[in-house]
Amino acid sequence: MPIFNHPDYKEEVNFLNFILDFLKKYHRSLQERKTRITHELSAGAGNSSDDSSDPYISMIINTQLSDTLEEKLQKIEHAKEKPYFARVDFTEDGAVNREKLYIGKMSVLDDKNYKPIIIDWRAPVANLYYEGRLGRAHYECPDGTIYGEIFLKRQYTIDDGNLIDMFDIDITTNDEFLQAFLGANADNRLKDIVSTIQVEQNRIIRADMWKPLIVQGVAGSGKTTIALHRIAYLIYNYDKDFVPENYMIIAPNKLFLNYISDVLPELGVNRVKQTTFEEFAFEVLEKKFKIMDVNHRLSTLVNLNDEKTKNTIIEASKFKTSKYFMDILDMYLKQVEENFIPNKDFKIGRIDIYKYDEINSLFLNNYNDLPFAKRLNEIKKNLHNRINFKKDELIDNLNRICDKQIAQIKANNSDIIERQKLITETINKRDDLIFKVNEFAKKGANTFVKSIEIKTPFELYDQFILGELFKTEALKHISVDAYNYIIECYIENKKSKMYDYEDLAPLLYIKYKVLGLSEKIKVKHIVIDEAQDFSVLQLFILKRIIKDSSFTILGDLNQGIHYYRGVRSWDEIQNIVFDGASQYLTLEQTYRTSIEIMDVANKVISHIKDSQIQLGKPVIRHGEKVRITEVNSLNDAVDDIVTHIDRFKSEGMKTFAIIGKTLDECKEIHKLLKKKGYEFNLITGNEKEYSAGFIVVPSYLSKGLEFDVVFIPNANKENYKSNELDIKLLYVALTRPLHKLYIYSQGEVCDMLKNVEE
């Protein structure tokens, strides 16, 4: 039915115009207020004659107000284009009037009565839209459970302030609306998902903040966007308890961070900490240093044909990122702890103030919940208090001894001059000792504690890896070849003053145990995306060092290309990291790719015989058949690719990716494209900015990204073998396109892709 024929069309247009007019006036009033504050700031900066602190305080307040107003203005700018996307008509039990609840990305309050005209999608009542159905319904809020009845659920397509379409629905999203959303280009989808959040996605977004949440989601299920919306939801609902800086996203690489960088501001969220594990490690260790590229070992394994060497590398990496490795590190740190305090008494002269056993007991027992360095601070207080307590007693003793000696001098010496000389010497000696006692009382504790050597995390790790304890314990779990590989790599890296990516987690742990964390790190909720490529050790250590924080962990075991060090099963994360006290949810529906593309991807991943493998269930969206073309060379593949690109551009496709298996293959493709006059961005993983449009990217860097069209330039038997790594790399590449997938094979196609076109 045309929108003009809808019985409520005029009413809806009138309401939209009212909202747009309201936002226009509101924007104008905020702009005037901001201009006034800016003027006051300029005037204040030029007035330096007032010596009081009032102008300075006023300037700080006005600066904060100006920043707040700027954020509001930006939100209203976005809202003017699409002020809301849904409406729910709801009558609460016991109420007379039916409420028309319009839902948008931000709340809009009526100035007169402060009631919401538009409700923020994160508000508790908005859950009626995401999970309620027509008829009896309820939602949870701080006041408890609110019951009532839903009479209408409506969705809107609004573009540039114009009502384009609307649908009356029962469930969250009707097929027509969802199809329109899924048919959009890749560059718009991350920002617009809020209007099409499905029930299983909504439950992840609104899950309990304080219970660790693990989400297994197939490729294209919306893990990343759901993670970002969850942060936006938590910030909105816990704004009295936390500031945005208390939330941290850990992403697989900087490229990925750049890819998602403008989504949170679109959701009205700013100042959330976005980092990689490496950058976070540098921050905690308070030192930047060279580390081996995170994909170095993966690249080695991809290009290695020697199976024996490959198995040794995998065995070594699995062990170095396991709980066993952590247990040995704990054994080593226990030894360091037990020998940390030097075997000497705290004394002044020959007088004991604190015996070694007492000091060591304080260190090992009284303050054992603190890092080593912080324990020393507490011990210093104890030493200082004890010496101050004993100081007066010592001085009294010195005075008594002095008086006794003077009495003896007077009794034994008749020569007045000699007697006076001896008395003066005795008094001077006493005064000198009293001075030393007072000085010792001031500085003795500090001097004693400073004499205790605190090695850096790097020095301790060096002793650990190259020590006998590690060798003895490691060889109980791994082969001699694997142990030798670990040691050889470590020594080789030392020559270059470099560390492996796998060294970061244990270094973090040593820093936490020995020195403690900086007060600057105030993280309360951590979201980890692409978590399947994190090791158990990384997650375990993050949980240990940031004790009071909660976690949202999202990943897909199908895409675990760093399987040699990554998560093999979510059970081990639930049990080892969170002691079984976590919530586990799944996302099985894939919204990115068409049925035709997902069917091919599912057939490929099914070649891994593992109960953890989860097949994606595509929504009902058909597209073009996947094309597999045999070519003679890479040059022929590129020739065919560029002819398709010209055609697809004319069809409205905007983002194109050529996904090679390795970086070397991508570099070769990039050269060929350049010769043919086509400008593509080559992604190497070191980019500071993500530039969508036309890119050439290695398979392992394409995780999490999506494109309108994807080309795989060589999927032959030599390039993609039937092993776990190659299958997962191919699966990652296959699940990047929204609309079109073209595959080329130089010679015979790989086993996983045989017969997929049938």
Side-chain angles (χ1 to χ4, degrees):
M1 179 177 71
I3 187 174
F4 308 104
N5 295 334
H6 196 288
D8 294 340
Y9 174 70
K10 285 186 179 178
E11 177 194 335
E12 292 290 4
V13 169
N14 289 337
F15 181 77
L16 177 58
N17 289 334
F18 160 74
I19 286 294
L20 293 173
D21 186 56
F22 181 93
L23 290 172
K24 198 176 185 180
K25 290 175 182 174
Y26 188 36
H27 188 277
R28 192 185 307 128
S29 69
L30 287 177
Q31 189 62 62
E32 288 170 358
R33 192 176 169 198
K34 186 174 183 293
T35 302
R36 189 168 62 251
I37 288 170
T38 303
H39 177 72
E40 288 173 9
L41 280 169
S42 299
N47 182 14
S48 57
S49 59
D50 193 342
D51 291 335
S52 75
S53 62
D54 289 350
Y56 179 68
I57 293 168
S58 178
M59 191 162 67
I60 290 173
I61 292 169
N62 279 337
T63 301
Q64 290 173 339
L65 273 172
S66 180
D67 291 344
T68 302
L69 288 171
E70 184 58 39
E71 278 186 28
K72 283 185 178 180
L73 285 166
Q74 287 176 9
K75 287 179 183 178
I76 292 168
E77 275 299 328
H78 291 304
K80 282 194 295 184
E81 296 177 6
K82 297 179 183 180
Y84 52 87
F85 54 81
R87 166 183 158 186
V88 177
D89 287 7
F90 180 70
T91 302
E92 185 180 330
D93 285 353
V96 177
N97 297 325
R98 182 185 299 184
E99 289 185 277
K100 295 178 182 177
L101 307 171
Y102 285 84
I103 301 166
K105 286 186 181 179
M106 64 172 281
S107 61
V108 178
L109 297 178
D110 190 325
D111 288 339
K112 296 171 186 173
N113 54 25
Y114 293 101
K115 285 187 176 179
I117 305 170
I118 305 294
I119 291 165
D120 193 295
W121 68 274
R122 298 167 289 185
V125 70
N127 209 35
L128 291 171
Y129 166 67
Y130 292 112
E131 294 197 20
R133 302 196 66 162
L134 297 182
R136 294 295 297 169
H138 66 274
Y139 66 94
E140 304 292 334
C141 72
D143 295 331
T145 306
I146 307 298
Y147 293 91
E149 189 164 353
I150 295 176
F151 292 92
L152 174 76
K153 285 179 72 174
R154 183 171 288 168
Q155 289 175 319
Y156 305 94
T157 302
I158 298 172
D159 189 27
D160 199 21
N162 296 307
L163 182 61
I164 307 300
D165 215 341
M166 58 183 177
F167 304 95
D168 291 342
I169 60 171
D170 185 8
I171 55 175
T172 307
T173 311
N174 72 356
D175 285 345
E176 192 175 348
F177 194 81
L178 185 58
Q179 292 285 350
F181 168 75
L182 296 176
N185 294 118
D187 55 349
N188 295 321
R189 288 157 47 95
L190 273 178
K191 300 172 186 176
D192 292 335
I193 195 174
V194 68
S195 60
T196 58
I197 291 168
Q198 303 297 289
V199 172
E200 74 263 20
Q201 296 173 326
N202 185 55
R203 285 173 186 166
I204 290 166
I205 291 169
R206 296 173 190 259
D208 181 2
M209 177 178 183
W210 292 112
K211 189 168 187 179
L213 176 63
I214 299 170
V215 178
Q216 160 60 36
V218 297
S221 58
K223 293 184 296 298
T224 299
T225 47
I226 294 309
L228 300 177
H229 284 71
R230 175 159 168 75
I231 289 175
Y233 170 80
L234 293 174
I235 287 173
Y236 178 87
N237 284 279
Y238 292 90
D239 63 325
K240 291 182 176 64
D241 304 304
F242 308 114
V243 294
E245 290 87 347
N246 292 146
Y247 297 85
M248 178 168 74
I249 302 169
I250 302 182
N253 51 55
K254 288 181 181 177
L255 175 70
F256 192 82
L257 282 175
N258 189 262
Y259 179 62
I260 65 171
S261 61
D262 60 346
V263 180
L264 284 172
E266 284 279 341
L267 294 171
V269 174
N270 295 288
R271 305 191 311 279
V272 168
K273 187 179 182 68
Q274 301 175 50
T275 188
T276 61
F277 188 79
E278 304 97 281
E279 290 296 329
F280 179 68
F282 294 152
E283 183 183 357
V284 171
L285 291 163
E286 298 176 278
K287 181 179 179 179
K288 275 214 167 190
F289 49 91
K290 288 195 294 183
I291 71 159
M292 192 71 75
D293 184 86
V294 65
N295 293 305
H296 166 74
R297 192 140 288 132
L298 174 64
S299 180
T300 301
L301 291 170
V302 166
N303 294 304
L304 197 61
N305 292 317
D306 181 350
E307 287 301 316
K308 187 175 183 295
T309 304
K310 186 182 283 190
N311 289 335
T312 297
I313 294 172
I314 291 170
E315 183 187 6
S317 294
K318 279 184 178 177
F319 173 70
K320 202 175 173 186
T321 55
S322 70
K323 180 67 166 50
Y324 298 119
F325 185 89
M326 177 74 179
D327 291 339
I328 302 170
L329 180 57
D330 267 329
M331 289 168 64
Y332 166 73
L333 289 174
K334 190 68 181 170
Q335 286 185 356
V336 173
E337 181 183 33
E338 287 169 351
N339 296 286
F340 201 82
I341 301 297
N343 191 352
K344 62 180 180 179
D345 300 327
F346 179 61
K347 56 172 66 181
I348 179 167
R350 287 173 292 182
I351 301 168
D352 288 333
I353 306 298
Y354 251 114
K355 301 289 283 182
Y356 160 73
D357 288 341
E358 290 180 280
I359 300 170
N360 202 40
S361 180
L362 286 173
F363 186 82
L364 296 178
N365 302 317
N366 295 52
Y367 305 118
N368 61 356
D369 58 333
L370 296 174
F372 299 176
K374 291 185 179 179
R375 293 187 212 182
L376 291 183
N377 287 333
E378 295 303 315
I379 286 170
K380 182 165 73 174
K381 292 175 190 175
N382 278 266
L383 300 180
H384 189 72
N385 291 339
R386 178 76 67 88
I387 188 66
N388 276 333
F389 179 75
K390 287 211 167 192
K391 181 180 74 170
D392 293 340
E393 182 186 337
L394 285 167
I395 291 171
D396 285 344
N397 283 338
L398 288 171
N399 282 323
R400 276 196 298 274
I401 292 166
C402 181
D403 291 343
K404 192 174 178 181
Q405 287 174 342
I406 289 171
Q408 287 176 344
I409 291 167
K410 286 179 178 178
N412 298 333
N413 288 277
S414 56
D415 187 318
I416 294 173
I417 295 173
E418 179 66 20
R419 185 172 63 191
Q420 191 58 45
K421 179 186 171 189
L422 291 171
I423 288 171
T424 302
E425 286 175 358
T426 301
I427 290 170
N428 287 342
K429 187 176 179 182
R430 178 204 63 187
D431 290 346
D432 186 48
L433 287 170
I434 288 173
F435 176 79
K436 286 180 179 177
V437 168
N438 282 320
E439 284 299 297
F440 187 77
K442 288 179 193 173
K443 302 175 182 176
N446 193 48
T447 303
F448 182 87
V449 166
K450 274 191 171 179
S451 72
I452 299 171
E453 183 186 11
I454 305 178
K455 288 186 168 69
T456 68
F458 304 95
E459 290 170 325
L460 290 167
Y461 189 60
D462 195 60
Q463 288 181 359
F464 166 66
I465 285 287
L466 301 176
E468 199 59 38
L469 172 71
F470 177 67
K471 180 178 181 179
T472 303
E473 295 298 324
L475 289 173
K476 294 177 183 178
H477 301 281
I478 55 174
S479 66
V480 173
D481 285 346
Y483 168 78
N484 287 337
Y485 178 79
I486 291 171
I487 301 303
E488 285 164 13
C489 286
Y490 186 78
I491 291 171
E492 194 61 35
N493 286 341
K494 269 188 75 175
K495 291 176 186 173
S496 308
K497 296 182 179 177
M498 182 182 288
Y499 288 89
D500 265 340
Y501 177 78
E502 287 83 0
D503 293 322
L504 291 176
L507 281 168
L508 276 183
Y509 186 61
I510 294 171
K511 169 72 161 56
Y512 159 72
K513 289 285 283 185
V514 176
L515 300 174
L517 301 189
S518 165
E519 295 296 322
K520 295 176 186 175
I521 297 169
K522 296 178 180 177
V523 178
K524 294 298 178 187
H525 189 81
I526 300 171
V527 174
I528 301 175
D529 202 3
E530 300 290 348
Q532 75 279 351
D533 290 332
F534 275 61
S535 68
V536 174
L537 186 63
Q538 281 175 289
L539 296 172
F540 183 81
I541 285 171
L542 275 174
K543 180 70 176 70
R544 289 280 291 274
I545 68 175
I546 309 179
K547 288 181 177 178
D548 299 326
S549 63
S550 56
F551 286 79
T552 299
I553 292 173
L554 308 100
D556 179 16
L557 297 181
N558 292 5
Q559 299 181 68
I561 57 176
H562 295 278
Y563 66 97
Y564 50 90
R565 62 167 164 80
V567 176
R568 302 290 296 184
S569 163
W570 296 118
D571 289 342
E572 59 185 353
I573 303 305
Q574 287 183 283
N575 296 326
I576 295 173
V577 179
F578 298 116
D579 296 323
S582 60
Q583 187 177 3
Y584 177 74
L585 296 173
T586 60
L587 292 169
E588 297 179 358
Q589 200 85 37
T590 176
Y591 302 95
R592 177 185 296 140
T593 56
S594 64
I595 290 173
E596 288 76 10
I597 294 171
M598 202 64 218
D599 281 349
V600 172
N602 280 338
K603 284 176 182 176
V604 166
I605 200 66
S606 295
H607 280 74
I608 298 175
K609 305 305 177 188
D610 186 337
S611 61
Q612 298 290 327
I613 294 301
Q614 180 186 25
L615 300 184
K617 299 175 182 176
V619 295
I620 306 301
R621 180 171 74 90
H622 283 282
E624 187 179 295
K625 189 178 178 183
V626 175
R627 306 289 178 87
I628 301 178
T629 306
E630 189 172 320
V631 292
N632 293 320
S633 66
L634 196 60
N635 186 62
D636 288 347
V638 172
D639 277 341
D640 196 60
I641 287 169
V642 295
T643 61
H644 287 303
I645 286 172
D646 291 336
R647 178 165 60 88
F648 294 151
K649 279 166 65 180
S650 67
E651 292 176 12
M653 301 289 117
K654 293 182 179 179
T655 57
F656 301 82
I658 302 173
I659 303 179
K661 183 182 177 186
T662 65
L663 182 57
D664 286 342
E665 184 184 354
C666 289
K667 286 177 178 176
E668 194 176 343
I669 292 163
H670 190 250
K671 282 180 187 174
L672 290 170
L673 286 164
K674 226 170 185 182
K675 283 181 183 176
K676 298 175 194 301
Y678 284 83
E679 285 297 324
F680 272 67
N681 290 318
L682 174 65
I683 303 298
T684 65
N686 298 316
E687 289 74 20
K688 290 183 179 176
E689 290 187 9
Y690 173 73
S691 181
F694 300 83
I695 71 168
V696 183
V697 58
S699 53
Y700 51 83
L701 288 177
S702 69
K703 277 195 295 94
L705 308 180
E706 57 182 34
F707 312 92
D708 293 329
V709 183
V710 165
F711 302 94
I712 297 174
N714 185 18
N716 68 12
K717 288 186 74 169
E718 287 71 37
N719 212 20
Y720 287 98
K721 300 179 177 65
S722 298
N723 58 56
E724 182 177 350
L725 177 57
D726 284 4
I727 292 169
K728 286 183 174 179
L729 287 171
L730 182 57
Y731 177 81
V732 167
L734 293 171
T735 52
R736 299 307 99 202
L738 275 69
H739 305 299
K740 300 177 188 294
L741 173 61
Y742 280 61
I743 303 169
Y744 299 87
S745 172
Q746 293 173 45
E748 190 178 357
V749 73
C750 65
D751 291 340
M752 294 83 75
L753 287 172
K754 284 181 179 175
N755 307 319
V756 297
E757 289 184 293
E758 292 178 1

